[in-house]
């Protein structure tokens, strides 16, 4: 897809991969609607608008879409489902509230946002949905059962959705980043972000690459890992 002049929605835009993706899409000439609970500090651009949205609430998603269409025009070409979080802990000592929080954000939020934009993408017969999962969506990790379960769900959702909407000209790509230097590790005991990890800009670059593929094919799954991880 030629990105210049097109419209993208990026969730979880306040920092990390979401912010880096918004900046990369702006650099390609897109208009970007950033959805999140907090605005990205210092991100000002004539083609960027922030809309407060908690993706855990379907009503909030519907309101954000209405505001986006009013401000940026009637077409939505790209949705980047990036909003997500992780909480660590053993299953037998894990908070049920934290379990629900992860599924409400990582899984239900992805569903609400995709469901919201699909009618317009189908009218256009053109669109691309990017779901940011995690390497945790491909393998189990000790003390991360809830997070892994939520990202496995994103994987299943993505692979089902692409088969459902491909004949409408809509692409679906799921990314599985490994360790990325973001604030994700702030709340993970025993883990610390470091310079050997991938950078948010690396993930954003992969997203741009997937979006710019010619119309006749699409990239379904992308697994990314640091080349030389810190031992």
């Amino acid at each position: 897809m030629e990105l210049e002049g097109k419209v993208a929605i990026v969730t979880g835009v306040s920092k990390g991969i979401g912010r880096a993706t918004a900046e990369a899409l702006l650099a390609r000439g897109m208009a970007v609607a950033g959805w999140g609970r907090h605005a990205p500090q210092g991100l000002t651009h004539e083609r960027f608008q922030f809309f407060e949205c908690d993706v855990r609430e379907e009503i909030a998603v519907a309101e954000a879409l209405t505001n986006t269409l009013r401000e940026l025009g009637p077409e939505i070409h790209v949705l980047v489902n990036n909003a997500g979080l992780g909480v660590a802990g053993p299953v037998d000592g894990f908070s049920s509230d934290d379990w629900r929080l992860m599924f409400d954000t990582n899984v239900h939020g992805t569903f609400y946002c995709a469901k919201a934009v699909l009618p317009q993408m189908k009218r256009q017969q053109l669109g691309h949905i990017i779901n940011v999962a995690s390497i945790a969506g491909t393998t189990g990790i000790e003390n991360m059962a809830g997070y892994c379960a939520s990202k496995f769900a994103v994987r299943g959702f993505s692979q089902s959705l692409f088969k459902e909407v491909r004949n409408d000209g809509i692409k679906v790509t799921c990314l599985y980043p490994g360790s990325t230097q973001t604030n994700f590790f702030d709340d993970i005991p025993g883990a610390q972000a470091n310079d050997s990890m991938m950078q948010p800009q690396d993930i954003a670059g992969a997203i741009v690459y997937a979006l710019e593929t010619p119309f006749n094919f699409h990239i379904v799954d992308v697994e990314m890992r640091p080349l030389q991880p810190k031992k």
Side-chain angles (χ1 to χ4, degrees):
M1 183 194 304
E2 170 59 47
L3 300 184
E4 186 169 0
K6 302 292 198 306
V7 177
I9 295 168
V10 180
T11 72
V13 75
S14 64
K15 60 185 75 171
I17 293 171
R19 180 182 179 129
T21 300
E23 291 172 342
L25 297 181
L26 289 167
R28 287 299 198 279
M30 296 194 80
V32 177
W35 292 7
R37 291 181 298 156
H38 306 288
Q41 293 185 357
L43 179 54
T44 56
H45 194 287
E46 62 181 2
R47 285 184 274 104
F48 175 79
Q49 291 199 44
F50 174 74
F51 301 92
E52 186 174 347
C53 177
D54 186 341
V55 299
R56 296 173 295 178
E57 304 292 338
E58 189 169 13
I59 292 175
V61 168
E63 290 177 351
L65 179 61
T66 297
N67 293 335
T68 298
L69 295 172
R70 183 185 67 244
E71 298 297 328
L72 299 183
E75 295 190 337
I76 301 293
H77 304 95
V78 171
L79 167 65
V80 181
N81 274 315
N82 167 71
L85 56 88
V87 182
V91 170
D92 58 351
F94 202 76
S95 163
S96 297
D97 287 341
D98 285 340
W99 180 279
R100 284 189 289 269
L101 175 64
M102 282 190 289
F103 271 81
D104 284 344
T105 307
N106 302 352
V107 184
H108 304 155
T110 295
F111 163 68
Y112 296 149
C113 292
K115 179 184 176 183
V117 302
L118 278 171
Q120 179 56 38
M121 288 184 174
K122 286 183 176 181
R123 282 191 288 271
Q124 298 163 185
Q125 291 291 287
L126 179 70
H128 200 147
I129 296 173
I130 303 279
N131 293 329
V132 180
S134 167
I135 205 70
T138 68
T139 186
I141 302 171
E142 184 179 9
N143 289 322
M144 295 290 287
Y147 182 68
C148 291
S150 72
K151 292 301 187 177
F152 265 82
V154 172
R155 181 185 185 186
F157 175 72
S158 301
Q159 293 185 357
S160 299
L161 182 61
F162 102 75
K163 295 177 180 179
E164 187 174 317
V165 300
R166 63 197 304 184
N167 289 329
D168 291 297
I170 301 169
K171 301 181 181 183
V172 180
T173 300
C174 193
L175 267 67
Y176 309 94
S179 299
T180 307
Q181 193 175 23
T182 69
N183 64 302
F184 174 84
F185 292 96
D186 293 350
D187 299 319
I188 305 298
Q192 188 173 2
N194 60 77
D195 292 341
S196 69
M197 294 178 171
M198 295 183 293
Q199 300 300 306
Q201 293 81 3
D202 300 329
I203 314 305
I207 289 172
V208 170
Y209 179 81
L211 292 174
E212 290 183 332
T213 53
F215 182 77
N216 66 309
F217 80 94
H218 72 128
I219 297 171
V220 177
D221 290 305
V222 180
E223 183 175 319
M224 303 176 67
R225 295 175 182 259
L227 180 61
Q228 296 179 319
K230 184 177 180 180
K231 292 183 174 58

